[in-house]
Amino acid sequence: MTGTTEALGGSAAVDDAARSVTRPFYVYAVLANSLFQRGVFVIFLYQRGFSAGQVALLQTLLYLVSGLAELPTGVIADRIGRRASIVIGQMLIAGCLLGQGTFSNYWVFLALFIGQGVGMACVSGSDTALLYDLLVRRGATAGYIKIKSRFTMLGTVASGAAIVLGGQLQQISWGVVYVGSAACLVLAVVVLMSRVPEIRGADAVDEQEGAEGHGDATAWRAMLRVATPALVTLVVVSGLMHATLTPYIIFAQKTLSDQGADTAWVSVVISAGFFVGGLTPLLSDRADRRIGYRVIVPVSLLTLAAALALSGLGLVWVTIAAFLALVGIPEITAVIVDNVFNEAVPSRHRASLLSMIAFVESALIGLGYLVLGALMDGLGSSVGMATYAVVPLLACLLWLPVLFRGARVTTEIEKPADQKAS
């Protein structure tokens, strides 16, 4: 009886510790994702006189720059602090959004998208590393999938609400849309600075006592120590999944518009998609326990291929139904895979290693924008969407050896003995 009481008390203490860490992160997630231009910015760029190819180039540049900047910004985050890196990134993004709402010259937009890409790189990897390591400090990593699911849900639902509001604010002016987005990012920074403690790579707390010999190792050497063939495959396949989902969501705006939906309807549909994508990650913990990442990965890829194929029929209601029904499943996979990545890398280099992974994803997303934009320009928006379904199908083929051979993704060298025992 006493043992049971102590166990319940210990569980309650862990829950309290997790809540103390996650509350400010949840507020931050809402504010940082309240970007009113997200659901209609493609229409904004078209109204600026840019072609589909130019829009695709901007998005490609955004993600390629973000990918190239991932490596140095990840190292900086481990050295100067992960919170500091997030603050720098969000302020840079806010400044670039203000510039986009002010200028109309394409060359200026190229420079602004480059700056925004650097800002995204500063945030990417650092936010997950900061959250995960703060949970490690409190001994609460067992609930990470649930916590990350809620974090993702709040951010995505906030995005959906912001997109609906952005469609209405656009009737006032595009300037209001972009100023409002920048203001929310500034408020997110204020919450982070006031409520979330700083943590650096030197504060590593999840490595074995016997791992001190690796303490001065570079992030590259740390990556080589944990890079199993299955992990490398997962990084590439996850990147291809994001390289399908992200351009699909953005260019769905153009596809819906070409199929007869007006701007207001487009904003509502994209917003609803964000709501769906925000709520479905709440199923991640259950999906992880019952299905596992090995199976959920190909399921997500096949649903993306189906969504693209259905969008290619040219029927606006079919496109809307496919978009809303299928867009949420890859979001479940993203949360589960994120947990696998965090478990696979050591704390000392977590931001750097996650940034390397994000570099691959960003590069593939940027290439995906370029390819899908070219397909839509050359074949039309509907047929171009359907043709792009080959990308998730290719990723599914790459994953089959891991699925059937049961190859290991994570290694055991970074996990403490008590974590292994659990």
Side-chain angles (χ1 to χ4, degrees), residues 163 256 261 264-274 317 319-320 323-324:
I163 287 170
L256 290 169
W265 258 109
V266 171
S267 67
V268 169
V269 171
I270 300 299
S271 172
F274 272 85
W317 290 109
T319 300
I320 291 173
F323 182 80
L324 296 180

Side-chain angles (χ1 to χ4, degrees), residues 44-377:
F44 167 71
L45 295 176
Y46 280 117
Q47 289 185 6
R48 281 286 197 262
F50 305 153
S51 67
Q54 288 177 312
V55 173
L57 180 59
L58 286 174
Q59 288 297 106
T60 299
L61 186 65
L62 176 71
Y63 281 95
L64 288 180
V65 168
S66 175
L68 291 173
E70 287 284 359
L71 306 183
T73 55
V75 174
I76 291 171
D78 280 330
R79 296 290 179 85
I80 70 170
R82 288 148 191 187
R83 188 186 67 179
S85 182
I86 298 170
V87 169
I88 292 170
Q90 297 291 24
M91 294 303 294
L92 183 56
I93 294 171
C96 291
L97 290 177
L98 289 175
Q100 292 169 31
T102 303
F103 300 101
S104 58
N105 183 274
Y106 188 71
W107 294 103
V108 174
F109 267 77
L110 286 173
L112 292 171
F113 270 65
I114 289 173
Q116 187 174 340
V118 174
M120 289 167 56
C122 290
V123 176
S124 174
S126 297
D127 53 358
T128 301
L130 181 60
L131 173 59
Y132 193 86
D133 273 328
L134 288 173
L135 290 172
V136 170
R137 280 184 169 183
R138 302 297 182 90
T141 53
Y144 178 74
I145 291 182
K146 284 185 178 180
I147 291 168
K148 183 63 189 297
S149 298
R150 292 168 185 166
F151 181 82
T152 302
M153 179 272 293
L154 289 170
T156 311
V157 170
S159 292
I163 287 170
V164 172
L165 186 56
Q168 304 305 313
L169 291 175
Q170 185 274 327
Q171 298 179 18
I172 301 174
S173 75
W174 284 109
V176 173
V177 172
Y178 278 85
V179 170
S181 298
C184 288
L185 292 180
V186 172
L187 289 175
V189 165
V190 171
V191 170
L192 207 65
M193 292 292 292
S194 61
R195 299 292 306 278
V196 178
E198 181 63 281
I199 191 168
R200 299 172 180 82
D203 303 323
V205 291
D206 66 347
E207 298 185 51
Q208 287 186 10
E209 292 297 324
E212 283 86 354
H214 299 294
D216 60 348
T218 64
W220 289 104
R221 291 177 181 174
M223 175 58 85
L224 291 176
R225 295 206 312 272
V226 301
T228 64
L231 177 61
V232 173
T233 303
L234 181 59
V235 171
V236 174
V237 169
S238 174
L240 289 172
M241 183 184 76
H242 287 287
T244 304
L245 179 63
T246 306
Y248 169 58
I249 292 175
I250 298 304
F251 279 113
Q253 301 172 37
K254 171 66 173 171
T255 303
L256 290 169
S257 180
D258 287 349
Q259 291 178 357
D262 59 23
T263 302
W265 258 109
V266 171
S267 67
V268 169
V269 171
I270 300 299
S271 172
F274 272 85
F275 278 113
V276 171
L279 294 175
T280 51
L282 295 176
L283 302 173
S284 298
D285 186 58
R286 183 178 300 176
D288 185 50
R289 285 185 281 106
R290 295 189 177 183
I291 303 175
Y293 68 91
R294 295 183 191 277
V295 176
I296 196 68
V297 166
V299 169
S300 296
L301 294 169
L302 292 175
T303 58
L304 280 173
L308 287 164
L310 290 171
S311 298
L313 296 177
L315 305 173
V316 64
W317 290 109
V318 173
T319 300
I320 291 173
F323 182 80
L324 296 180
L326 302 177
V327 76
I329 296 176
E331 299 289 356
I332 297 175
T333 306
V335 172
I336 296 173
V337 170
D338 177 74
N339 184 60
V340 175
F341 288 154
N342 272 288
E343 289 181 345
V345 301
S347 176
R348 184 174 300 277
H349 300 292
R350 178 162 284 125
S352 300
L353 298 183
L354 293 179
S355 288
M356 291 180 189
I357 293 170
F359 161 71
V360 176
E361 293 183 350
S362 296
L364 290 172
I365 290 172
L367 184 61
Y369 270 114
L370 199 60
V371 172
L372 183 54
L375 289 173
M376 292 176 69
D377 270 346

